[in-house]
């Protein structure tokens, strides 16, 4: 076999000693093993200036089989081994071959055996089993024979390597593809692609994946966004490509997308990833030019993942992990949460997070229709964008809750509330809306996005409970208060089950006869130390937790039992008023429960009164009218509690089957003021017009009693007459006051 003339070249003569200094990356490494020094010298002379496929040789030397194995286990990428058969022992060379193939597992290295005497030739089988390229006696290996053999061995080494590498590469692609299929978000997928490509190329992951995204409202307006990034580009995820400092990268990516071709420069690679729904590109920092082999490998990989990319995009659309609220085009809750956490670490001026809750939004939605509701939400979004958009993040965090993050001084409660000062125009409605806002200074909120969001919600809920101002800032005590409330509800549950609750009664008097006409049942929750937790504190918690439904049923039961007992004790014509909460009234079993109790205790018409607060009455007008009619038909009296504190429409009040309105204690307290007196008088007047009885609550003085009586109010209840009291005490009072 004669070597191809273009494959072999001899470099010009140069000092022999320089050859081992060459880097093995661009030379063929050849290991010469022989216990005869002279053989080393001769071989070196023969091979030193040889170039194969444009690369020189790098010669390594060993003088024993042991040394040979030691070098092979340490050094990488040795292409050819020239091995003496007889060294420390007769079979040392062949034993070494066995070790190399079976123990070190080096399959790629080409092996040429040499021996001094023909008698030591290994058997055919051995040559085959150990993949020995050639066997020559030293006499046979002339200068030219040696070069020829070297060239063919190196070529065969290179072929084996490239096949192996392709195989490894393909295995990697399959593995990478499989792991990418598990990634369902575009960001994870993109990062996966970068990492996998870098690992295919044996690089440290450093790069970005971008795609063109269509604006939903404007197809022509296309921006290139960074979908995923690894290494130093990670902070730019989800940003516009134009936000990258390095314009050069942007230009490369744009060129790649336009030309739909991969670009390779000395230390950068831009890969085109086309799919039906749009173009994407992967930019990588590659420390050296990507070899032809690797480029082919990448192409296979890219075709492979283009399908995956398509899937992920679809998936993304379906799951809407997108970071945008489709209605208002603002950031959505996920994105808001992510930004909260991100901004936490920002070095900017003090930042605040705000949640803006539109009051009574569900009324608008139910009353005027979802379309108007949506229009309103879009208008609110636009106003917020106009007011704060340039320096704050605006988001829609919940159906009727907007979010903002920005400079603490710009995003003040006043400036946010100002957005709602003028009414909103929808297609055919002008809507005046109010908002309640919760705020949290980022430095107070912690470091984890979800917890931060939760804390701003705590502030929002606290703001909702306020009556005068409509905002609140988060303070850690709020959470302590919440923990206390939780503790309280646990205890209430236990104490209720243990029947530790009791009912006190407060009499209501006829202002003309000064007789007791009714007793209001008021819950008491005694504590171990003899004190009481006031119902004003625990009732709202019981309502919130739903426990009020069973507690309320119990109160009703007790009241009816008490009425039956009065009758048995000869007290007739006494009425008991029971307070009914919203969750109780809403519970479907409520009316049946009342009917059942009335029947069991043989309660007569007018003996049981239910007190329902004005705000409960306004909750669901039509259902309320139905419910009250049924109650009336059972012979139950109905009074409106805390009248004047809600905002009933007169028209509506007229339609409700009611008996009595209770003038809220706050107006009675303010009787001495001009406004207070006017309001009380209006209510009494209204009652008369609607044909309802009026009763004044919280009467504490003789003056108040007189004032109410003069206005025409028929009944009164208050400390001036009697405080709420336990039954034993009440019995005493009932004896004194004839009914
Ligand atoms: P409410 O229905 O408005 O009850 C009247 C409250 O005013 C009672 O407070 C009573 O003790 C208090 N009060 C009566 N006269 C005077 C007065 O002259 N001056 C002052 N300053 N206060 C007076 P209480 O017993 O603390 O009850 C507070 C609230 O708890 C009640 O307000 C009612 O909304 C709720 N509640 C009490 N028991 C029940 C119940 O069994 N079920 C439900 N759902 N709510 C209840
Ligand atoms: Ca009441
Ligand atoms: Ca009341």
């Amino acid at each position: 076999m004669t070597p191809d003339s273009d494959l072999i070249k001899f470099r010009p003569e140069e000092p022999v000693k320089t050859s081992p200094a060459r880097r093995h990356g661009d030379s063929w490494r050849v290991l010469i093993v022989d216990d005869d020094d002279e053989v080393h010298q001769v071989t070196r002379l023969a091979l030193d200036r040889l170039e194969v496929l444009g690369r020189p040789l790098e010669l390594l030397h060993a003088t024993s089989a042991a040394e040979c194995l030691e070098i092979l286990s340490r050094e990488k990428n040795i292409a050819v081994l020239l091995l003496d058969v007889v060294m420390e022992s007769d079979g040392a060379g062949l034993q070494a071959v066995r070790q190399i193939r079976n123990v070190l597992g080096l399959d790629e290295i080409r092996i040429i055996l040499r021996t001094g005497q023909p008698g030591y030739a290994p058997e055919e089988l051995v040559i085959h089993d150990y993949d020995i390229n050639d066997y020559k006696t030293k006499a046979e290996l002339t200068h030219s024979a040696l070069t020829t053999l070297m060239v063919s061995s190196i070529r065969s080494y290179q072929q084996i390597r490239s096949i192996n590498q392709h195989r490894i590469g393909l295995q990697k692609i399959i593995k990478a593809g499989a792991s990418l299929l598990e990634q369902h978000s575009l960001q994870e997928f993109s990062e996966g692609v970068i990492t996998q490509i870098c690992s295919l190329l044996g690089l440290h992951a450093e790069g970005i994946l971008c795609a063109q995204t269509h604006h939903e409202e404007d197809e022509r307006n296309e921006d290139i966004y960074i979908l995923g990034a690894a290494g130093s580009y990670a902070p730019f995820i989800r940003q516009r490509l134009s936000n990258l400092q390095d314009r050069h990268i942007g230009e490369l990516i744009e060129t790649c997308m336009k030309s739909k071709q991969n670009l390779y420069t000395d230390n950068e690679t831009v890969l085109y990833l086309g799919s039906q729904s749009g173009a994407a590109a992967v930019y990588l920092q590659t420390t050296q030019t990507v070899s032809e082999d690797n480029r082919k490998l990448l192409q296979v990989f890219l075709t492979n993942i283009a399908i995956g990319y398509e899937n992920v995009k679809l998936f993304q659309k379906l799951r809407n992990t997108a970071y945008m609220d489709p209605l208002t085009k603002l950031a959505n809750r996920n994105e808001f949460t992510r930004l909260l956490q991100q901004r936490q670490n920002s070095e900017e001026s003090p930042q605040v997070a705000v949640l803006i809750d539109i009051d009574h939004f569900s009324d608008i939605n139910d009353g005027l229709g979802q379309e108007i509701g949506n229009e309103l939400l879009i208008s609110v979004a636009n106003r917020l964008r106009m007011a704060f958009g340039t320096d704050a993040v605006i988001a829609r965090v919940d159906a009727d809750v907007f979010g903002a993050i920005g400079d603490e001084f710009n995003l003040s409660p006043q400036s946010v509330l100002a957005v709602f000062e003028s009414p909103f125009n929808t297609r055919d409605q002008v809507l005046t809306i109010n908002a309640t806002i919760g705020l949290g200074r980022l430095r107070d909120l912690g470091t984890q996005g979800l917890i931060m969001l939760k804390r701003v919600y705590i502030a929002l809920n606290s703001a909702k409970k306020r009556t005068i101002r409509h905002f609140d800032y988060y303070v850690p005590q709020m959470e302590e208060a919440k923990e206390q409330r939780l503790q309280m509800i646990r205890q209430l549950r236990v104490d209720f089950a243990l029947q530790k609750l009791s009912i006190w009664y407060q009499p209501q008097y006829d202002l003309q006869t000064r007789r007791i006409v009714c007793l209001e049942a008021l819950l008491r929750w005694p504590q171990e130390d003899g004190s009481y937790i006031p119902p004003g504190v625990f009732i709202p918690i019981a309502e919130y937790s739903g426990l009020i439904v069973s507690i309320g049923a119990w109160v009703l039961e007790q009241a009816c039992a008490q009425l039956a007992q009065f009758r048995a004790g000869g007290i007739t014509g006494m009425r008991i008023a029971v307070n009914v909460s919203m969750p109780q009234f809403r519970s479907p079993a409520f009316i049946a429960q009342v009917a059942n109790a009335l029947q069991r205790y043989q309660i007569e018409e007018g003996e049981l009164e239910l007190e329902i607060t004005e705000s409960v009455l306004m909750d669901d007008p039509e259902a309320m009218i139905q419910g009250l009619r049924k109650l009336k038909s059972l012979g139950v009296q109905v009074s409106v509690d805390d009248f004047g504190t809600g905002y009933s429409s007169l028209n509506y009040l007229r339609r409700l089957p009611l008996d009595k309105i209770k003038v809220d204690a706050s107006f009675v307290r303010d009787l001495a003021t001009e406004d207070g007196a006017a309001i009380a008088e209006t209510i009494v007047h209204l009652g008369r017009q609607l044909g309802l009885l009026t009763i004044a609550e919280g009467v504490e003085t003789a003056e108040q009693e007189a004032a109410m009586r003069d206005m025409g109010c028929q009944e009164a209840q208050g400390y001036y007459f009697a405080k709420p009291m336990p039954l034993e005490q009440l019995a005493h009072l009932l004896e004194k006051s004839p009914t």
Side-chain angles (χ1 to χ4, degrees), residues 311-429:
N311 282 344
V312 172
K313 280 194 76 164
L314 270 176
F315 203 88
Q316 174 103 332
K317 250 195 178 146
L318 283 178
R319 243 190 12 176
N320 200 9
T321 43
Y323 22 96
M324 193 177 74
D325 167 47
L327 179 70
T328 59
K329 309 279 189 283
L330 294 174
N332 66 9
R333 188 194 190 99
N334 285 341
E335 178 68 352
F336 187 72
T337 313
R338 195 184 68 80
L339 289 168
L340 262 179
Q341 184 162 336
Q342 196 184 63
R343 288 250 177 155
Q344 168 66 282
N345 312 317
S346 87
E347 307 269 283
E348 291 169 48
S349 53
Q351 301 274 301
V352 70
V354 188
L355 287 177
I356 304 153
D357 185 311
I358 298 174
D359 295 347
H360 306 293
F361 178 73
S362 55
D363 290 350
I364 296 169
N365 227 18
D366 298 344
L368 302 176
Q370 211 175 333
E371 260 180 56
I372 301 282
N374 284 350
E375 266 186 60
L376 175 67
L377 290 173
I378 293 170
S379 315
V380 172
N382 289 341
R383 268 204 209 168
L384 288 171
R385 238 192 295 249
M386 295 255 279
F388 307 106
T390 46
D391 23 48
V393 173
I394 313 286
R396 180 165 171 231
V397 178
D398 216 331
D400 57 350
V401 180
F402 290 87
I405 311 168
D407 185 290
E408 189 178 325
F409 301 100
N410 291 339
L411 271 177
S412 68
Q414 290 74 20
S415 65
V416 175
L417 288 172
V419 168
F420 296 90
E421 253 159 32
S422 56
F424 288 80
N425 293 310
T426 61
R427 202 170 318 153
D428 38 26
Q429 301 275 344

Side-chain angles (χ1 to χ4, degrees), residues 488 533-542:
M488 188 180 279
I533 296 182
V537 172
F538 74 83
I539 296 282
I541 295 172

Side-chain angles (χ1 to χ4, degrees), residues 506 508 520-522 577-580 610-613 639-642 662 697 717:
Q506 187 181 32
Q508 298 175 350
E520 180 174 1
L522 293 161
V578 171
N579 292 285
V580 181
L610 296 180
E611 291 194 8
I612 302 170
T613 59
S639 65
V640 189
D641 208 349
D642 305 341
K662 299 187 81 176
E697 281 192 283
Q717 170 184 5

Side-chain angles (χ1 to χ4, degrees), residues 6-26:
D6 56 330
L7 285 180
I8 312 173
K9 271 197 219 128
F10 287 92
R11 285 177 293 117
E13 196 84 46
E14 61 180 77
V16 168
K17 300 289 173 296
T18 61
S19 104
R22 231 170 265 126
R23 278 204 302 134
H24 70 259
D26 37 61

Side-chain angles (χ1 to χ4, degrees), residues 503 506 520-524 534-540 543 548 551-552 555 578-582 584 611 613 641-642 662 664-665 697-700 704 717-720 722-724:
I503 296 173
Q506 187 181 32
E520 180 174 1
L522 293 161
L523 268 169
R524 289 296 177 264
V537 172
F538 74 83
I539 296 282
E543 286 175 345
I548 193 67
I551 295 182
V555 175
V578 171
N579 292 285
V580 181
S581 289
M582 170 108 74
Q584 237 182 312
E611 291 194 8
T613 59
D641 208 349
D642 305 341
K662 299 187 81 176
D664 189 66
E697 281 192 283
V699 175
E700 292 183 348
Q704 289 168 343
Q717 170 184 5
Y719 293 174
Y720 176 62
K723 290 192 169 182

Side-chain angles (χ1 to χ4, degrees), residues 31 70 92 133 202 371 414 417 434 448 463 551 569 576 639 669:
L31 175 58
E70 190 270 318
N133 270 49
E371 260 180 56
Q414 290 74 20
L417 288 172
N434 293 309
Q448 209 259 314
I551 295 182
I576 293 182
S639 65
R669 195 183 49 230

